[in-house]
Amino acid sequence: MLSVVIAEQKRRGKKLAAKIPQRRRVQVVAGVPLTQGKLNAVRAAFKAGVPPSRIARQFGISQSDLRKALASDIAKR
């Protein structure tokens, strides 16, 4: 897929991005693609006592992915 994207960018005459900036990278935590900012916000909301179902709805992720993201926080400790 990446090769197709690069070929299309060359066809359109656009410069190729040398490297993805660190702040724009998506961190995949146990199969859950969340940016570091969203992951921090999810953890903060959980610690603040917001119900997991509401957090999942707000961030547009499944409750299963939410549990995985929260479990990865515990594993890092």
Side-chain angles (χ1 to χ4, degrees), residues 37-58:
K38 279 189 178 183
L39 187 58
N40 290 340
V42 164
R43 291 173 180 158
F46 184 74
K47 288 178 183 177
V50 178
S53 59
R54 184 174 288 171
I55 297 170
R57 192 177 324 120
Q58 181 70 33

Side-chain angles (χ1 to χ4, degrees), residues 5-69:
V5 171
I6 292 171
E8 183 63 18
Q9 285 179 335
K10 286 180 182 178
R11 187 185 72 78
R12 293 183 182 194
K14 295 190 176 190
K15 293 182 179 178
L16 301 176
K19 193 173 182 181
I20 299 173
Q22 180 66 25
R23 69 182 193 287
R24 299 289 295 187
R25 289 186 184 172
V26 175
Q27 181 178 6
V28 178
V29 178
V32 184
L34 290 175
T35 61
Q36 187 62 45
K38 279 189 178 183
L39 187 58
N40 290 340
V42 164
R43 291 173 180 158
F46 184 74
K47 288 178 183 177
V50 178
S53 59
R54 184 174 288 171
I55 297 170
R57 192 177 324 120
Q58 181 70 33
F59 287 94
I61 59 175
S62 68
Q63 289 186 16
S64 173
D65 287 344
L66 175 73
R67 285 191 297 272
K68 289 176 189 174

